Amino acid sequence: MKSMKKRIVFIILICVMMVAGCANGASRKVADEGTGETKEELVTIGFSQVGAESDWRKENSESMRSTFTRDKGYELIFEDAQQKQQNQITAIRTFIQREVDYIVLAPVTEDGWDTVLGEARDAGIPVIIVDRMVNVDDDSLFTCWVGSDFKLEGKKACAWLKTYLERQHVNPSDVKIVDIQGTIGSSAQIGRTTGLRDAVLENGWSLLDAVTGEYTQAKGREAAARLLEKYDDINVIYCENDNEAFGALEAIEAAGKKAGGNIRAGEVMVISFDGVSEQALDNLRNGSISCIGECNPLHGPRVRKIIENLERGETPDKYEYVDEDIFSGFEDITEITVDGTSYPVKIMGK
Ligand code: GYE
């Protein structure tokens, strides 16, 4: 009887240990070729990251790094492409040579991936696309994608602007916008630029110019400075990320103007995207940035879920869009409507 009890306790213990082991990590049990014994092997992931151009990107890298750790059963091979597609193509080829279990690609631009993704498919390595999209002829070239609806982000920001301008009784024909775009050809740029262009046509606003700020503060400042010099009637600067907006704020001050929502009194309104850093949220609170379309960078756990699904032999959704908010420091607009759907505006308290 005593030994029976002991045996039950032992079996329960083994079960608990197995469950704990599974919950803890993704490592695989594989047979050692030489001895035939089973051993634990880490799941290897080759991650080709765009670069480190923005606060969003840094958060995104951190999310991937802190998710795919050895103690959770992963080996993450992290390659920073410094915003160059060629570096990403080289990184993917290296991942294939190293026979990683998964390739995760955050593509800098949408076009030009067919060949290298074909090589990954031939090697039988699943490719998960994260953040921006790829534009390929055959969508079996990648397993799935997870990221944001960038056009919706743009539409929401413009819906906020429209509501704001109406409340301030600003004549649509007096609205003079410049667009500081992101990296040309990236999904985030294409979506946010399209959202703005559509709204400009619908509302009768003027889009004076559009130039890229490459998603960086330095390029954003340069672009804004040039535009403020070229046009003296700009009253809205639409920046396609927060770092460009920080640069634009510097340029507005250097031009002797004031950033803010009171455009009838000559202030220059700044709108942007991401809402990741404290600096951006502080700018919303002090009114120098009027509205931010949230873009969520925390994709690590999302990619991990996809990999866990694949490890279990399941098929993840081909496209997974992340829910996002819209932020403002102005208290009177609490809701906006895009294509018949209303979205609450998150107000950043002073
Ligand atoms: O908004 C910007 C970054 O692709 C969503 O890239 C990303 C964008 C993000 O550099 O800050």
Side-chain angles (χ1 to χ4, degrees):
M1 191 62 201
K2 216 176 169 194
S3 79
M4 182 67 168
K5 243 190 195 166
K6 258 191 188 165
R7 215 180 288 160
I8 291 173
V9 169
F10 180 72
I11 290 170
I12 291 173
L13 235 153
I14 292 285
C15 290
V16 168
M17 276 163 71
M18 276 169 70
V19 170
C22 293
N24 243 339
S27 53
R28 290 174 172 180
K29 281 206 167 51
V30 287
D32 186 289
E33 274 172 29
T35 63
E37 281 170 24
T38 54
K39 55 174 187 182
E40 296 276 327
E41 218 171 57
L42 298 174
V43 172
T44 53
I45 299 172
F47 175 41
S48 171
Q49 175 62 295
V50 169
E53 74 283 1
S54 65
D55 297 332
W56 189 98
R57 188 67 54 197
K58 286 174 201 150
E59 279 292 320
N60 177 248
S61 295
E62 176 48 32
S63 172
M64 292 293 286
R65 283 200 163 105
S66 59
T67 301
F68 295 107
T69 54
R70 285 181 162 265
D71 63 327
K72 290 185 191 129
Y74 296 99
E75 186 192 349
L76 181 71
I77 309 166
F78 186 105
E79 287 292 337
D80 176 333
Q82 302 187 350
Q83 304 235 62
K84 292 195 181 69
Q85 185 178 40
Q86 194 47 53
N87 291 344
Q88 298 204 285
I89 292 174
T90 307
I92 293 172
R93 293 200 166 124
T94 313
F95 298 152
I96 296 171
Q97 271 168 14
R98 290 178 70 169
E99 298 180 356
V100 298
D101 297 310
Y102 296 93
I103 292 174
V104 179
L105 168 64
V108 59
T109 46
E110 291 191 349
D111 292 339
W113 298 104
D114 298 75
T115 308
V116 75
L117 292 189
E119 292 165 24
R121 189 178 56 186
D122 291 347
I125 304 174
V127 176
I128 298 158
I129 311 288
V130 67
D131 167 24
R132 305 171 185 174
M133 286 186 173
V134 291
N135 177 21
V136 284
D137 288 338
D138 171 2
D139 76 358
S140 72
L141 284 172
F142 61 93
T143 304
C144 60
W145 166 87
V146 58
S148 308
D149 186 336
F150 302 114
K151 188 167 174 199
L152 180 60
E153 290 175 354
K155 284 179 161 196
K156 282 180 180 170
C158 291
W160 184 91
L161 177 61
K162 178 179 159 54
T163 311
Y164 179 87
L165 294 169
E166 281 169 1
R167 297 211 177 173
Q168 299 286 311
H169 306 289
V170 178
N171 208 322
S173 58
D174 293 337
V175 181
K176 310 283 161 124
I177 308 175
V178 290
D179 180 7
I180 303 189
Q181 297 169 290
T183 301
I184 301 297
S186 67
S187 307
Q189 175 273 315
I190 295 168
R192 291 168 189 166
T193 299
T194 310
L196 174 64
R197 295 220 167 135
D198 290 353
V200 163
L201 290 176
E202 272 163 35
N203 297 306
W205 302 331
S206 301
L207 180 61
L208 300 176
D209 219 329
V211 292
T212 183
E214 304 279 358
Y215 286 129
T216 70
Q217 181 161 347
K219 289 265 163 58
R221 184 182 54 237
E222 275 171 35
R226 260 184 283 120
L227 292 166
L228 287 163
E229 174 135 10
K230 191 163 163 199
Y231 308 94
D232 59 9
D233 52 352
I234 295 171
N235 46 25
V236 178
I237 306 188
Y238 179 94
C239 300
E240 293 187 12
N241 82 345
D242 285 338
N243 295 82
E244 293 180 343
F246 302 153
L249 291 177
E250 290 169 349
I252 291 167
E253 200 185 331
K257 301 199 174 199
K258 187 165 185 277
N262 195 354
I263 65 180
R264 283 160 69 101
E267 290 182 351
V268 180
M269 173 180 279
V270 175
I271 287 178
S272 78
F273 296 90
D274 289 348
V276 167
S277 65
E278 257 325 293
Q279 187 180 351
L281 303 182
D282 281 346
N283 286 329
L284 279 177
R285 290 186 192 106
N286 68 29
S288 55
I289 296 181
S290 295
C291 162
I292 295 181
E294 187 203 8
C295 186
N296 187 312
L298 306 178
H299 292 321
R302 297 183 183 115
V303 175
R304 182 179 173 190
K305 241 193 212 147
I306 290 170
I307 289 178
E308 284 170 356
N309 278 351
L310 292 166
E311 286 287 296
R312 283 196 297 267
E314 294 165 12
T315 311
D317 289 341
K318 189 85 188 180
Y319 295 94
E320 182 185 330
Y321 287 93
V322 170
D323 281 340
E324 292 169 331
D325 277 312
I326 176 131
F327 304 139
S328 178
F330 296 112
E331 283 156 17
D332 48 340
I333 304 175
T334 53
E335 194 178 82
I336 50 148
T337 306
V338 173
D339 299 332
T341 305
S342 62
Y343 298 91
V345 178
K346 275 209 171 155
I347 310 294
M348 293 292 135
K350 298 266 177 280

